[in-house]
Amino acid sequence: MMDLLANPELWKYLSIPVIAALIGWVTNWMAIKLTFYPLDFIGIRPFLGWQGIIPSKAEKMATIAVDATIAKIGTVQEIFEYIDPRVLTQYVVDHTVPRTEEYVDEIMLAEHPTFWENLPQRAREMVYERVRKRSPELVDNLVDDFSDNAEDLLDIQSMVVEQLGEDRTLLNRIFLECGEKEFRFIINSGLYFGFGFGLIQMATWYFFPAGWILPAFGLLVGWATNWIALNFIFRPLYPVKIGPFRLQGQFLRRQPEVAQSFCHIVTHEILTVGNLVDAILNGSKSHRARNLVRKHMKKLVDETAGMGKAFTQVAFGPTSFANLKQRVGDLSIEIAGETFDDPMFANDRAQAVEEIMRRRMEELSPEEFQDLLRPCFQEDEIKLIAAGAALGFLAGLAQLTFIFGATMF
């Protein structure tokens, strides 16, 4: 036994499955890293260098994420309903009505300082009071209008794609957190599958020591470990019972867990109340939202002027009175953009939306659900497999040359 253990040829053969396992682990690790990193292109464009597959196609991957999940678990209309217009109205009223005097003074001093400074305090108080009384109903009507016309006011796909396209770190994190266990499995499986292939490789090399065997098996290990791991993750789509065992793709079995992780990120960092309002007021359809705000604010100005409207128009002039309405509308838009910065309110509404979206996502079919993670691997998958195969080939060639002192031909 001691003579056998002292035989260097034995250790050379035993090194084959160990090295194959390392090849499998390294190639799979590299495949995952190259999928997400680096965030920015490193090298000389267009061919000499690399950028992570996900970051390099950020907008496309973000679009896929929206189409595969968000579009299926909640429309813009439904998201507004989840947030609850009544809660939204109360929040706006609570944060704006106490500052009525400040807002009225700001507008009047900017537009008609002499008139406002010379207006008796009692008359000013009447204006403040009328605005305070009308504000809750006006806000309620405005929020209802926004909610009823949400689909026409917000392009949610553009909003999400733009945000994730600019924030590649967040885009990466969505996939990495949702597929954390799958990516870890892919990396570790390189060891198991690589070792298994290595045992076959060792036996083949013992009985058929052709020079091309080790490089060829290295190439096979680098390619096959990735391919097998992907199939373990996504296949079979539906549970298959074989004796006491229930088989289904690893990612698909974790649907409730993944849904919770994905919906938490989406509702707390992407579809927040603040982001939605900002997209409505400044997005591709912002002109519609701004016109809607101005329409409601003009009513407020008219109703505040009340019986003295004719006098006010004469005193200010028709153009100046119209400018006042415009100024009220513009200030209201500014206020709306600054109001939703309360972390507690944002978190409270995010939790409400998250719960509903999570339930919806758990109900997706396996075909629909796999589309959340599958695109990570489908994009340029052949490049990753080819890179793994090439690395495996070089490792097998090095093993042949430096361990066994042989050549391929």
Side-chain angles (χ1 to χ4, degrees), residues 55-361:
S56 70
K57 301 185 176 183
E59 289 192 6
K60 180 178 180 181
M61 297 305 299
T63 301
I64 291 172
V66 173
D67 291 341
T69 51
I70 296 175
K72 294 176 182 176
I73 60 180
T75 64
V76 178
Q77 193 81 38
E78 288 173 327
I79 289 171
F80 267 90
E81 290 173 6
Y82 301 160
I83 292 173
D84 194 337
R86 292 171 301 175
V87 175
L88 204 57
T89 297
Q90 192 58 51
Y91 174 83
V92 174
V93 169
D94 290 345
H95 282 71
T96 57
V97 171
R99 299 176 63 182
T100 297
E101 293 185 19
E102 174 189 335
Y103 295 142
V104 172
D105 286 346
E106 179 180 341
I107 292 170
M108 295 305 297
L109 290 174
E111 294 294 322
H112 303 284
T114 304
F115 173 84
W116 192 246
E117 289 286 1
N118 290 300
L119 195 68
Q121 183 61 32
R122 181 175 176 79
R124 286 197 219 175
E125 291 293 342
M126 290 175 63
V127 174
Y128 297 147
E129 185 59 28
R130 185 166 294 207
V131 172
R132 266 193 292 265
K133 280 185 177 180
R134 291 289 299 119
S135 291
E137 183 182 349
L138 181 139
V139 171
D140 187 39
N141 292 337
L142 180 57
V143 171
D144 281 345
D145 243 0
F146 268 51
S147 183
D148 292 341
N149 297 280
E151 299 287 349
D152 296 325
L153 299 176
L154 175 63
D155 183 345
I156 198 167
Q157 184 180 62
S158 296
M159 169 196 163
V160 176
V161 169
E162 182 179 351
Q163 184 176 351
L164 293 180
E166 294 175 356
D167 192 347
R168 293 187 291 251
T169 300
L170 177 58
L171 179 63
N172 266 1
R173 190 154 64 83
I174 288 175
F175 290 114
L176 286 169
E177 287 192 17
C178 290
E180 178 187 7
K181 292 185 178 179
E182 284 67 38
F183 295 129
R184 190 164 61 245
F185 169 77
I186 287 175
I187 294 172
N188 292 337
S189 68
L191 285 173
Y192 320 140
F193 299 139
F195 189 81
F197 278 114
L199 292 175
I200 300 172
Q201 181 183 13
M202 180 178 66
T204 305
W205 174 254
Y206 181 80
F207 291 106
F208 187 65
W212 57 269
I213 291 292
L214 293 180
F217 263 91
L219 184 149
L220 178 64
V221 169
W223 175 84
T225 52
N226 233 343
W227 184 86
I228 293 173
L230 287 176
N231 276 277
F232 266 83
I233 289 173
F234 296 108
R235 296 293 181 271
L237 271 176
Y238 290 90
V240 175
K241 198 161 185 183
I242 302 177
F245 302 103
R246 180 176 174 271
L247 302 180
Q248 188 181 18
Q250 179 174 310
F251 182 66
L252 303 167
R253 292 199 307 268
R254 293 199 313 115
Q255 187 162 346
E257 183 182 342
V258 174
Q260 182 175 2
S261 178
F262 177 81
C263 292
H264 182 81
I265 294 175
V266 167
T267 55
H268 286 75
E269 300 188 49
I270 301 175
L271 299 181
T272 64
V273 175
N275 286 348
L276 290 169
V277 171
D278 180 68
I280 288 173
L281 295 178
N282 301 299
S284 58
K285 300 180 178 180
S286 61
H287 61 285
R288 298 178 184 176
R290 290 169 176 263
N291 288 338
L292 199 60
V293 172
R294 291 189 181 105
K295 181 185 79 172
H296 284 271
M297 291 305 111
K298 286 176 182 177
K299 289 181 183 178
L300 177 64
V301 174
D302 286 338
E303 291 175 12
T304 301
M307 295 297 292
K309 180 180 176 183
F311 168 76
T312 306
Q313 286 180 310
V314 171
F316 291 170
T319 301
S320 191
F321 190 66
N323 289 341
L324 176 63
K325 292 181 180 180
Q326 180 75 19
R327 176 59 185 153
V328 171
D330 291 343
L331 179 62
S332 300
I333 292 169
E334 290 176 27
I335 293 169
E338 299 169 356
T339 299
F340 300 97
D341 58 357
D342 182 346
M344 290 184 64
F345 177 76
N347 185 62
D348 176 70
R349 291 300 85 204
Q351 287 179 342
V353 178
E354 177 187 351
E355 179 64 22
I356 298 169
M357 292 185 75
R358 181 185 58 78
R359 290 201 301 267
R360 287 279 190 90
M361 192 168 177

Side-chain angles (χ1 to χ4, degrees), residues 360-376:
R360 287 279 190 90
M361 192 168 177
E362 289 177 2
E363 295 170 357
L364 292 177
S365 69
E367 289 92 346
E368 294 172 318
F369 180 68
Q370 72 164 347
D371 288 341
L372 170 60
L373 195 62
R374 191 73 179 98
C376 284

